[in-house]
Amino acid sequence: MKFENILEEIDGFGPFQIAIIILLCTPRIVLPCHFLLNNFIAAVPPHRCDISTLDDGGLFRNLTQEQRLTVNVPVREDGDPKSCEMFAEPQLQLLANSSNGADLPTVQCQSGWVYDNSTFASTLATEWDLVCDRKSLTKTTSTIFFFGVMMGAIAFGYLCDKYGRRSTLLASYIMAIVFGFCSAFANSYVLFAVLRFLTGFGLTGISVNSLVLSIEWVDTSHRSFIGVIGSLAWSAGNMLLAGLAFLVNDWRTLIMTVTAPLGFAVLTWWWIPESARWLLANGKAERAQFYLEKCAKFNKRPKLSSKLKLETLSNMEILEEQDKNYTYLHLIKTPKMRQLTLLTGIVWYGVASTYYGISLNISGFGLNIYLTHFIYAAIEVPAKLMIYCFLNFIGRRKCQAGTLLLTGICIAINIFLPKGLWHVRAVVAILGKGLSEASFTTIFLYTTELYPTVVRQNGLGYTSFMSRLGVSVAPLILLLEDVWTLLPQIILCSVAIISGLVSLLLPETLNVRLPETIDEIEKPRS
């Protein structure tokens, strides 16, 4: 007897499953607020050299602030002061002519910087002067955070399969809360980076557990609905981040604001059920029976019939009595599992790298960053609804390949469009963002259907690791624009297209029941 037979009897898609989605909404909303937080807390506002300490024997006392800037700070072609340079000596002659002093000797800022606080009260850049020759450190904080997420993916993938989805979910909540709030009080860049690493580590458990708990409790025909509609919480959180960042323009307060909802998530955790699939796969038939009867009662179905009593549950095919301790090695022990592991790793890397490469680059389209971020987030909603229709119509594999290839094409178009057509570039970028989100939504659902129950969490842990590897590299790819402006876009375009082609090698899972054991992967299934 298979688990799907039990779900048919207790209702595989009823109030019980809807309640699980609702209970997991709050933590899912928090995830994008942290994952894309760097767009705002690490923003670099306009700045110039601080000349307040310069005196020059009292000559400056009779000069206005504008005149002091003229004789001390060179200007760019647009007339604004240069960000990282000042004249080696005050150039008083510039007061008498209109020269911009382009040929005069300059030095790096000697006494720090003055920042434009009209948009942000404070950011990491203004707090620790992460500008000019240290500007790469703002992007590095994002990479460090996602390295934490990457390490967490490995750890939680193992812990979830060993100790259950529910217990590790609570551990994730607590870790994210503690380290999230601590990072808001960091008094040095190094301490902040360490705490962001640990915050990312904790948030990973929420990311993988919330999806798996939802998917493992529903029947085959409603998996795509649960996967797509449940992920709308991500889009809601993403849009909410733009509003919160606009209202809260101090980086410390913003971190605390986006972390606080996890306190509510801890309270709702008490009502979240353990995965009955996992309990049965690990020989905990009595506990599984408790949750199955709870589900039947909640869905207004009769109690489990006698044929589904404890003895039967204990002997379900979902169990593999001879080998219960599954590790990451089981992902590569057999030929088809090896192939599946390799292919999903490549696709996840490509999906994540392109999604975050686009999401973390929200400047250069003629709109302010709050509006750009909001539009990028809002386009995800129709993208998710569109992909929901296509997932059940043309299947998972074609959706995965199509969305990745089209994302690559959008990036390629923007490579050739001139900067002057910023409105056209913005439309193409937004379309590409929507398609990249559709590919992310698809791969989350697709992966849970590809891996068998006994190693599903390990599989998700591994693919999440590959995903976060792609995410960690994305901010560093964006730094390559200093080498060649188009290089980051060319790399992201290539990654999207290659991973799209690789996804065509994966098996289709539309209307195929979830595999329970590794043997079902190695042998053809229907």
Side-chain angles (χ1 to χ4, degrees):
M1 178 175 287
K2 298 296 183 184
F3 191 78
E4 273 69 17
N5 302 127
I6 300 178
L7 284 179
E8 285 177 16
E9 185 159 334
I10 63 174
D11 191 356
F13 185 71
F16 185 79
Q17 286 76 10
I18 299 298
I20 293 174
I21 296 177
I22 294 171
L23 290 170
L24 293 171
C25 266
T26 301
R28 280 183 168 183
I29 286 173
V30 169
L31 288 175
C33 291
H34 270 282
F35 280 40
L36 296 171
L37 190 60
N38 234 57
N39 279 343
F40 303 103
I41 65 169
V44 180
H47 53 281
R48 60 167 174 80
C49 295
D50 184 3
I51 58 171
S52 62
T53 58
L54 300 179
D55 185 27
D56 199 42
L59 285 177
F60 291 167
R61 291 178 187 172
N62 298 323
L63 299 181
T64 64
Q65 179 64 19
E66 186 176 342
Q67 290 173 326
R68 291 186 186 189
L69 286 175
T70 301
V71 301
N72 285 293
V73 182
V75 295
R76 298 193 295 258
E77 291 181 4
D78 61 5
D80 290 331
K82 286 190 175 180
S83 300
C84 303
E85 296 175 31
M86 60 189 292
F87 292 124
E89 297 290 338
Q91 305 296 325
L92 294 171
Q93 75 276 10
L94 293 178
L95 295 174
N97 59 55
S98 57
S99 170
N100 62 4
D103 300 325
L104 296 170
T106 61
V107 295
Q108 296 294 308
C109 297
Q110 302 296 301
S111 304
W113 291 263
V114 173
Y115 298 95
D116 178 359
N117 294 326
S118 58
T119 303
F120 302 99
S122 71
T123 68
L124 300 179
T126 64
E127 183 86 17
W128 292 303
D129 289 332
L130 306 182
V131 293
C132 299
D133 57 343
R134 302 182 74 207
K135 69 177 183 179
S136 62
L137 291 179
T138 57
K139 289 278 196 294
T140 305
T141 55
S142 185
T143 295
I144 290 169
F145 171 80
F146 284 114
F147 267 126
V149 174
M150 187 168 65
M151 293 298 108
I154 298 175
F156 280 106
Y158 170 76
L159 293 172
C160 293
D161 272 344
K162 187 168 181 63
Y163 299 106
R165 283 60 162 140
R166 190 169 179 267
S167 300
T168 46
L169 182 63
L170 179 61
S172 302
Y173 286 168
I174 294 171
M175 277 192 71
I177 291 171
V178 171
F179 294 121
F181 274 100
C182 285
S183 64
F185 295 95
N187 58 4
S188 71
Y189 176 82
V190 173
L191 179 59
F192 175 78
V194 170
L195 291 169
R196 282 298 283 168
F197 175 91
L198 294 170
T199 304
F201 188 97
L203 286 168
T204 312
I206 300 174
S207 179
V208 292
N209 266 308
S210 58
L211 179 75
V212 172
L213 268 173
S214 302
I215 296 294
E216 290 189 338
W217 269 107
V218 298
D219 55 29
T220 305
S221 60
H222 289 97
R223 287 201 306 257
S224 58
F225 177 85
I226 289 285
V228 174
I229 302 304
S231 70
L232 284 174
W234 172 281
S235 302
N238 210 351
M239 288 186 280
L240 184 64
L241 175 60
L244 290 173
F246 179 76
L247 295 172
V248 182
N249 56 12
D250 172 74
W251 72 270
R252 295 182 188 273
T253 311
L254 183 57
I255 290 178
M256 289 189 283
T257 303
V258 299
T259 306
L262 287 177
F264 178 73
V266 171
L267 298 178
T268 62
W269 173 84
W270 298 100
W271 290 281
I272 295 174
E274 179 57 274
S275 166
R277 286 181 189 269
W278 177 83
L279 289 169
L280 291 170
N282 286 271
K284 303 177 186 293
E286 287 186 28
R287 195 71 182 151
Q289 184 183 31
F290 168 79
Y291 283 115
L292 289 169
E293 289 183 347
K294 196 173 183 179
C295 177
K297 182 179 179 182
F298 209 80
N299 288 342
K300 295 183 171 55
R301 290 295 180 93
K303 276 193 173 185
L304 293 178
S305 61
S306 57
K307 68 176 181 178
L308 293 177
K309 285 301 181 183
L310 196 57
E311 298 78 12
T312 306
L313 291 174
S314 298
N315 294 307
M316 281 185 64
E317 290 179 42
I318 195 171
L319 290 169
E320 283 188 335
E321 294 290 344
Q322 74 279 12
D323 189 5
K324 285 186 180 176
N325 294 317
Y326 292 93
T327 66
Y328 284 105
L329 290 176
H330 285 84
L331 299 178
I332 56 172
K333 273 188 175 180
T334 52
K336 287 193 177 179
M337 282 299 297
R338 259 196 309 275
Q339 181 184 16
L340 177 64
T341 301
L342 175 65
L343 296 178
T344 53
I346 294 171
V347 175
W348 268 89
Y349 179 93
V351 168
S353 189
T354 50
Y355 176 86
Y356 283 94
I358 295 172
S359 299
L360 294 171
N361 185 23
I362 59 174
S363 59
F365 296 112
L367 304 170
N368 73 58
I369 64 170
Y370 300 112
L371 184 57
T372 305
H373 185 96
F374 181 82
I375 294 173
Y376 269 11
I379 193 65
E380 293 183 0
V381 177
K384 287 177 189 289
L385 297 177
M386 175 200 73
I387 205 66
Y388 170 62
C389 299
F390 282 111
L391 278 171
N392 290 326
F393 181 63
I394 64 173
R396 279 64 159 151
R397 181 172 54 191
K398 290 179 182 176
C399 280
Q400 191 65 69
T403 51
L404 278 169
L405 292 172
L406 288 172
T407 301
I409 290 170
C410 286
I411 297 173
I413 291 172
N414 262 356
I415 290 174
F416 296 103
L417 280 177
K419 292 275 187 180
L421 295 173
W422 65 266
H423 50 292
V424 179
R425 286 170 55 81
V427 170
V428 174
I430 291 166
L431 181 60
K433 175 59 164 57
L435 288 164
S436 69
E437 168 56 33
S439 72
F440 225 133
T441 302
T442 304
I443 194 62
F444 259 114
L445 173 67
Y446 201 6
T447 307
T448 59
E449 296 180 337
L450 285 168
Y451 283 98
T453 299
V454 290
V455 289
R456 183 168 295 124
Q457 204 72 41
N458 279 332
L460 273 178
Y462 155 72
T463 53
S464 185
F465 172 86
M466 292 302 297
S467 160
R468 302 320 165 194
L469 180 62
V471 177
S472 302
V473 172
L476 304 181
I477 291 174
L478 296 179
L479 286 175
L480 293 175
E481 66 181 2
D482 292 339
V483 178
W484 180 28
T485 308
L486 296 178
L487 187 55
Q489 304 307 314
I490 291 172
I491 293 173
L492 292 174
C493 173
S494 304
V495 169
I497 291 174
I498 291 170
S499 56
L501 294 174
V502 168
S503 66
L504 289 171
L505 300 175
L506 290 168
E508 180 55 71
T509 60
L510 177 63
N511 294 325
V512 175
R513 66 175 180 77
L514 287 181
E516 307 291 1
T517 64
I518 291 175
D519 282 344
E520 292 180 41
I521 296 293
E522 296 303 315
K523 298 172 186 175
R525 57 195 170 92
S526 58

